[in-house]
Amino acid sequence: MRHLTEIRWHGRGGQGAKTAALLLADVAFQAGKQVQGFPEYGPERMGAPITAYDRISDREIRVHSNIYKPDFVAVVDDTLLHTVDVTAGLKEDGAILINTVRPAEEIMPLLKGYPGRVYLLDARKVCMATLGKYFPNTPMLAAIVKISEVMDIDVFLREMETSLQHKFARKPEVLDGNLKALRLALEEVTECQ
Amino acid sequence: MSTKTRMSGNEAVAHAIKQINPDVMPAFPITPSTEIPQFVATMIANGEIDTEFIPVESEHSAMSAAMGASAAGARAITATSSCGMALMWEVLYVAASSRLPIVMALVNRGLTGPLNINAEHSDSMGARDSGWIQIYAENNQEVYDNFLQAHRIAEHKDVHLPVMICQDGFITSHAVQNITLWDDGPIKRFVGEYEPEHYLLKEDESLAVGPYAVSPYCMEAKKAQAEAMKRARKVILDVAKEFEELTGQHYGFFEEYQLEDAEYAVVAIGSVCGTAKDAVDAMRAKGVKAGLLKIRVFRPFPGEEIGEALKHCKAIAIMDRSESYSSQGGPLGAEVTAALYRAKATAETVNIMYGLSGRDVKVEDMEQVYESLRKLAAGEEHFAEYPYLGLRDGTENVLSRQ
């Protein structure tokens, strides 16, 4: 197990990539880790490419730079594959997770020959089956935790339940759907062969 | 007596404000400090604190209202960044010379232009001669701890000066990290109630605040203000000592990291120091005696102590996150170099411009700074002018090419 895991999120403004990064830091903290979760800020607007980062470690995190050699990359919107170099610096022994409805043969040529593991998740399908609305960050969060193994899945699900109970204290009907989305994403995420 | 949790730098400042429960907070929103008045307004709405929040129409008014409240005898705070502070400019000087112990949360962001919202020290460095005490932080923990100490320093009878508590915009203000929060009871006792000696609402005492000062007396007022800034040195250390007894957290004028036997030292302020510490460890692993001096207190400037701490080094890089457009480097470069001269240091020095407008600094960049210092001391490198770190340019005065 790495003493430091670095994760980079690519998304579009409004999709919740920043929220996912901060949620991951939050839940990793609950699991006893040292964490750093932060977005890269600029002139934000809906739909523009955004980047967010997580550092999760067993030791104190002092560095304050962006992440250039991530262990894992999560791409919340597959249209970014055409415009953003999502595998830049990605470690070969790491992995990339992409939210897409497209088959692997369409996605793989867009990854510039990245030799590491590639995972796909249809977050829309997961969301529609569980939430009835498209919030891709919830399933993506579950999938990246599974792939990166930054924490035990049972601990993750338990801490997420606590966190969501708090977050949706006034909307308990949403809690169940979110938990289902997390569990379904864990089943649905698949590695490209 | 503490809770381990995680929050951003802005949340950490808001938590400090919640524990202090100041009397008055006039503020105007500006990125990246907007969250601070936003959190405070929420706490007021939830009945957690009873601070009087004044939603003013500009930062000039924010500082003016803070002055009015402070002069009346209230504990007043505000928060701002960048151009917001620039709009306070005139009033910053009036607040300091009126000896009002206002505390400001400054989330450092570059002054325009070009228009940019990211971390830079040009806002606070521009105000370095305004008479405010300036204390900087590397991370969320430090900005929280510094804010808790600010009122004790500002309101001390030997000081009576405003204090700005600075942190790097977005880099620490918006990054969620682990933090230890101190329990309310001991912190409230540590901060204490504000009991001013002289104030406008005091019965049976006439007082003028900010009147015209004629030349035969005005210079004496300025000297008295300068003496207060000198006296702040002891108060800052005394308050830090008391804070350490309470929390175990050690603070001084600056932090020395692997500096005692260092041959090559970096002097810097703020979040880049965390990155520099990782670089020091990497250089030490390669056998290079690297060290760091992280400035916490920039006003009053601890020049004598800095000179003493650095004078054994062979080469020193002084890092500025703020251009002076002086053609000689930045403000930290000028002041640290002067301190080294007074300490009769013989080290080679280079003043490096870095991180302007939020330009990211990697551990590798800082390793390159140490490598340049080694070459500088060995006579293998020479800087005709002050270099820029990580500039998209191929000129000779660029330290790392992208």
Side-chain angles (χ1 to χ4, degrees):
Chain A
M1 176 99 188
R2 300 167 173 87
H3 81 79
L4 170 68
T5 302
E6 295 185 305
I7 300 173
R8 189 171 67 207
W9 294 79
H10 294 282
R12 290 188 180 278
Q15 288 175 333
K18 173 196 156 187
T19 307
L22 296 185
L23 253 174
L24 178 56
D26 206 57
V27 74
F29 163 80
Q30 300 283 8
K33 300 286 186 181
Q34 294 282 319
V35 298
Q36 191 183 59
F38 59 105
E40 195 171 343
Y41 277 91
E44 283 135 283
R45 57 261 183 243
M46 203 75 109
I50 67 121
T51 315
Y53 306 93
D54 281 300
R55 287 192 174 92
I56 297 165
S57 179
D58 295 320
R59 303 178 195 169
E60 184 190 1
I61 300 167
R62 300 182 300 193
V63 62
H64 282 290
S65 71
N66 295 338
I67 293 168
Y68 297 91
K69 292 172 189 163
D71 298 291
F72 302 96
V73 165
V75 183
V76 186
D77 185 323
D78 66 357
T79 62
L80 290 167
L81 298 176
H82 299 279
T83 53
V84 178
D85 189 3
V86 294
T87 55
L90 176 58
K91 289 179 187 163
E92 293 190 3
D93 62 350
I96 184 168
L97 165 70
I98 300 158
N99 169 24
T100 187
V101 295
R102 295 151 73 188
E105 50 271 29
E106 283 183 36
I107 296 296
M108 294 305 275
L110 300 171
L111 298 180
K112 301 182 177 175
Y114 173 64
R117 290 175 288 147
V118 178
Y119 292 86
L120 302 184
L121 174 70
D122 185 348
R124 184 177 292 277
K125 189 173 116 187
V126 171
C127 287
M128 289 308 167
T130 55
L131 296 164
K133 277 182 191 165
Y134 184 45
F135 293 119
N137 58 3
T138 308
M140 288 294 281
L141 181 61
I144 202 75
V145 168
K146 182 181 179 182
I147 294 163
S148 65
E149 300 175 336
V150 285
M151 71 187 86
D152 185 77
I153 287 295
D154 291 330
V155 174
F156 166 72
L157 289 172
R158 192 180 66 222
E159 295 302 339
M160 280 301 291
E161 186 167 355
T162 311
S163 168
L164 291 168
Q165 266 167 354
H166 181 70
K167 191 179 169 192
F168 297 123
R170 287 178 195 157
K171 289 194 285 182
E173 69 280 6
V174 189
L175 176 67
D176 194 40
N178 272 284
L179 292 174
K180 278 185 183 154
L182 294 173
R183 289 205 176 85
L184 185 57
L186 293 171
E187 291 169 23
E188 286 285 321
V189 62
T190 48
E191 185 176 356
C192 295
Q193 297 303 322
Chain B
M1 73 148 278
S2 64
T3 309
K4 290 193 187 310
T5 183
R6 70 298 184 196
M7 56 174 59
S8 69
N10 278 348
E11 286 176 292
V13 169
H15 189 77
I17 294 169
K18 183 175 164 183
Q19 292 182 307
I20 293 164
N21 191 11
D23 298 312
V24 181
M25 181 179 191
F28 190 87
I30 180 166
T31 303
S33 62
T34 302
E35 286 179 338
I36 296 174
Q38 199 177 339
F39 290 139
V40 172
T42 304
M43 294 184 301
I44 295 167
N46 291 341
E48 294 168 289
I49 54 173
D50 59 4
T51 302
E52 182 75 29
F53 186 84
I54 310 177
V56 285
E57 81 283 12
S58 79
E59 285 87 352
H60 189 281
S61 299
M63 187 46 64
S64 301
M67 263 197 74
S70 184
R75 186 177 262 165
I77 64 162
T78 190
T80 193
S81 294
S82 179
C83 303
M85 194 214 233
L87 192 51
M88 292 178 177
W89 216 258
E90 172 192 2
V91 200
L92 291 178
Y93 284 73
V94 188
S97 62
S98 299
R99 310 290 298 278
L100 297 172
I102 298 162
V103 172
M104 177 201 295
L106 182 76
V107 184
N108 283 107
R109 160 186 160 183
L111 291 172
T112 305
L115 176 60
N116 177 272
I117 60 166
N118 296 102
E120 197 181 289
H121 296 153
S122 52
D123 46 8
S124 57
M125 283 296 157
R128 69 188 181 275
D129 299 340
S130 64
W132 283 62
I133 290 167
Q134 291 190 342
I135 303 179
Y136 292 81
E138 176 188 321
N139 52 38
N140 55 348
Q141 183 75 54
E142 291 187 3
V143 74
Y144 169 61
D145 292 348
N146 288 343
F147 204 92
L148 291 174
Q149 294 171 58
H151 291 284
R152 290 286 307 277
I153 298 163
E155 294 162 5
H156 194 283
K157 63 177 174 45
D158 293 341
V159 180
H160 279 300
L161 287 172
V163 174
M164 61 180 80
I165 299 298
C166 310
Q167 65 169 318
D168 286 348
F170 293 113
I171 300 171
T172 68
S173 71
H174 284 63
V176 171
Q177 281 204 254
N178 300 60
I179 187 171
T180 303
L181 301 177
W182 317 112
D183 286 356
D184 291 351
I187 283 301
K188 281 181 188 298
R189 281 193 294 281
F190 170 80
V191 177
E193 287 294 318
Y194 178 40
E195 282 159 12
E197 252 180 290
H198 308 285
Y199 51 99
L200 289 172
L201 296 183
K202 191 175 182 181
E203 274 183 274
D204 310 322
E205 187 182 70
S206 306
L207 180 69
V209 175
Y212 185 81
V214 293
S215 297
Y217 292 99
C218 194
M219 194 158 157
E220 281 69 21
K222 294 199 180 219
K223 173 64 172 159
Q225 189 183 332
E227 289 299 319
M229 189 59 98
K230 273 194 220 163
R231 288 194 299 270
R233 293 163 47 90
K234 181 178 183 304
V235 174
I236 289 166
L237 295 181
D238 288 348
V239 170
K241 192 159 175 280
E242 208 182 307
F243 190 78
E244 184 173 359
E245 283 161 12
L246 191 66
T247 64
Q249 297 281 103
H250 176 73
Y251 291 103
F253 291 139
F254 47 82
E255 179 190 342
E256 296 173 54
Y257 185 74
Q258 301 279 21
L259 191 62
E260 206 177 354
D261 67 338
E263 294 177 349
Y264 312 106
V266 161
V267 182
I269 286 180
S271 63
V272 78
C273 294
T275 308
K277 285 175 185 172
D278 278 7
V280 166
D281 288 0
M283 296 309 286
R284 290 258 169 185
K286 290 185 219 167
V288 177
K289 286 189 173 174
L292 170 74
L293 189 149
K294 176 182 84 185
I295 293 180
R296 171 176 178 253
V297 178
F298 186 70
R299 284 290 179 271
F301 188 70
E304 206 177 313
E305 292 84 353
I306 288 173
E308 279 304 312
L310 290 172
K311 74 174 185 186
H312 66 282
C313 298
K314 287 183 182 169
I316 301 160
I318 308 151
M319 311 277 295
D320 263 296
R321 196 164 204 152
S322 172
E323 248 296 2
S324 279
Y325 303 110
S326 68
S327 83
Q328 295 290 304
L332 197 55
E335 301 209 14
V336 173
T337 308
L340 289 169
Y341 179 82
R342 289 191 193 109
K344 301 193 173 10
T346 53
E348 293 289 333
T349 62
V350 57
N351 185 193
I352 298 170
M353 202 57 63
Y354 80 99
L356 300 189
S357 309
R359 176 58 52 86
D360 201 28
V361 179
K362 305 187 281 289
V363 175
E364 293 79 1
D365 294 324
M366 293 309 299
E367 287 181 44
Q368 199 187 350
V369 169
Y370 284 110
E371 185 55 25
S372 291
L373 287 178
R374 195 191 58 71
K375 286 185 186 163
L376 189 65
E380 295 165 19
E381 180 128 58
H382 170 72
F383 296 103
E385 288 181 27
Y386 62 101
Y388 268 60
L389 181 66
L391 193 71
R392 288 173 188 267
D393 193 343
T395 63
E396 282 183 17
N397 296 308
V398 175
L399 208 56
S400 70
R401 296 179 180 87
Q402 289 196 333

